[in-house]
Amino acid sequence: PSLAESGCRFCTACVEVCPTGAIIDKNLGQGDKKALLVPCQSACPAGIDVPEYVRLIAQGRPQAALAVLRQSVPLPGVLGRVCAHPCEDVCRRGQVDQPVSICLLKRFAADNGGETWQQALPKTTPSGRKVAIVGAGPAGLTAAFFLASKGHGVTIFEAEDQPGGMLRYGIPAFRLPQDILESEINHIQSRGVDIRTNAKIASLGDLQSQGYDAVFLAVGAQLSRSIPLEGGDQGRVIRGLDFLKALRRGQNPPIGARVVVAGGGNVALDAALSALRQGAQLVEMVCLEKRAEMPAHAWQVEGAEAEGVKVHNSWGPTAVQPDGSIGFRRCVSVFDHQGKFNPAYDE
């Protein structure tokens, strides 16, 4: 009676092979044909073969699906939990009803694919070359995985006492459980990658003198962003990323019953939700942007509100008083006519 009931997967493959030309993709524009036909794969920063692994999951073969994922990314379990999934924004199924849950399917494959994916990895022949990687965050770990897969000897130098970088210290545990991260790092190490922690590098000369053929710097961007704010240097004011790091290190910074988070991004959201879990009775999130302009993902904002976070849009902070109160002024626009960040206020 309908395409949906017929089992059609709306993959448009029939359009490509129809011998009569009777089936026409009316929505296909001009440009890169593959990008237009398979926008999910083109939108993926890692170029994962989304249609293939989704198809394998539908066939009840999560092991094979995980093997496909591992060809493009060494951290599928992490991505299945924290990826921003731009693929779903352009999923062609969304033109019919709603996008395929590509990110959650990645998580399903990672959690249920077992270990047989390792059999699909190509056998490596030692190349005799050595690479030093500075930083064991997502970039360093990913580079290490693929370099080791090519047969190169890889050593990662990490200044912290544990590898993972912002995956470990910047993302709350309720989003990314530590055992998932540990498992994926162990898989990378099983490829012969040597990870040395508490190993801060003072200069490139230190590495060059050790005979490495190449050096990859993956030190990340771990400094908290700050805004010039009167009273912002008080002890009661904590930068968002510093707060999240302290929690992941088990330091449990003290907070009061009422917390105000200034910002509208994903770090601000994580800080707000973490404050709730630390015992705050009221958490209010105040940001410059209108609801539709917030840099945080809409679905995450909705989730935070469902947990009790109160969101106030179009307000900018002015000063923090010694008694802990904070003032705001109405923000009438965040960007100027050229699209640049240049907030304007109604004083």
Side-chain angles (χ1 to χ4, degrees):
S2 69
L3 282 175
E5 292 174 277
S6 74
C8 176
R9 299 301 181 190
F10 301 90
C11 66
T12 73
C14 55
V15 178
E16 291 296 288
V17 300
C18 180
T20 66
I23 305 175
I24 301 172
D25 191 335
K26 297 180 180 179
N27 295 323
L28 199 64
Q30 300 295 317
D32 184 335
K33 189 174 183 180
K34 182 177 180 181
L36 292 167
L37 281 173
V38 195
C40 52
Q41 183 172 354
S42 299
C44 175
I48 297 173
D49 190 345
V50 174
E52 178 65 9
Y53 86 75
V54 170
R55 185 180 303 114
L56 289 168
I57 291 174
Q59 294 172 358
R61 300 170 61 195
Q63 301 89 345
L66 181 56
V68 171
L69 286 167
R70 292 279 184 179
Q71 293 173 9
S72 301
V73 291
L75 302 163
V78 170
L79 286 174
R81 289 165 170 81
V82 302
C83 181
H85 47 72
C87 51
E88 295 182 24
D89 294 335
V90 296
C91 176
R92 301 191 70 194
R93 178 73 199 208
Q95 300 172 18
V96 179
D97 42 33
Q98 63 185 21
V100 174
S101 297
I102 299 170
C103 184
L104 287 178
L105 287 172
K106 189 186 296 104
R107 174 175 172 172
F108 173 82
D111 290 353
N112 296 275
E115 300 295 329
T116 58
W117 60 269
Q118 298 189 57
Q119 300 172 7
L121 292 176
K123 302 300 181 182
T124 59
T125 301
S127 68
R129 296 179 177 271
K130 298 195 305 179
V131 180
I133 295 177
V134 183
L141 291 170
T142 300
F145 178 83
F146 287 112
L147 286 167
S149 298
K150 291 179 179 294
H152 305 316
V154 182
T155 303
I156 302 180
F157 297 89
E158 170 57 49
E160 296 281 358
D161 59 356
Q162 296 185 76
M166 294 304 291
L167 298 178
R168 184 181 299 276
Y169 296 109
I171 301 177
F174 61 83
R175 290 203 191 281
L176 179 57
Q178 184 164 307
D179 62 328
I180 299 297
L181 178 60
E182 294 285 0
S183 174
E184 306 227 301
I185 291 175
N186 288 339
H187 283 142
I188 293 172
Q189 288 180 293
S190 71
R191 300 293 288 168
V193 174
D194 178 18
I195 301 179
R196 302 178 186 180
T197 55
N198 295 310
K200 188 173 183 178
I201 300 300
S203 71
L204 290 178
D206 292 347
L207 298 176
Q208 292 169 343
S209 64
Q210 297 179 44
Y212 289 101
D213 297 286
V215 177
F216 179 59
L217 299 180
V219 295
Q222 300 195 22
L223 297 181
S224 282
R225 296 178 63 185
S226 61
I227 54 176
L229 184 64
E230 181 183 344
D233 56 352
Q234 298 181 48
R236 69 175 72 244
V237 180
I238 309 174
R239 295 180 182 179
L241 199 52
D242 293 343
F243 176 58
L244 295 176
K245 285 183 178 179
L247 290 177
R248 288 307 298 258
R249 290 188 172 109
Q251 297 170 357
N252 295 321
I255 59 173
R258 183 180 182 187
V259 174
V260 174
V261 178
N266 290 318
V267 170
L269 270 180
D270 283 348
L273 290 169
S274 296
L276 280 178
R277 286 160 172 76
Q278 285 296 104
Q281 298 174 12
L282 175 63
V283 177
E284 298 183 77
M285 188 170 158
V286 189
C287 64
L288 295 170
E289 299 86 1
K290 298 176 183 176
R291 183 63 175 250
E293 297 173 330
M294 292 178 68
H297 305 303
W299 57 273
Q300 290 193 340
V301 177
E302 293 169 1
E305 288 181 320
E307 289 199 39
V309 175
K310 297 185 181 299
V311 180
H312 305 282
N313 295 99
S314 300
W315 292 98
T318 56
V320 181
Q321 303 302 326
D323 63 357
S325 61
I326 180 170
F328 291 89
R329 55 181 174 172
R330 173 64 72 181
C331 179
V332 295
S333 66
V334 180
F335 306 98
D336 60 21
H337 66 282
Q338 294 181 324
K340 297 180 179 179
F341 181 77
N342 187 19
Y345 301 94
D346 178 357
E347 299 293 348

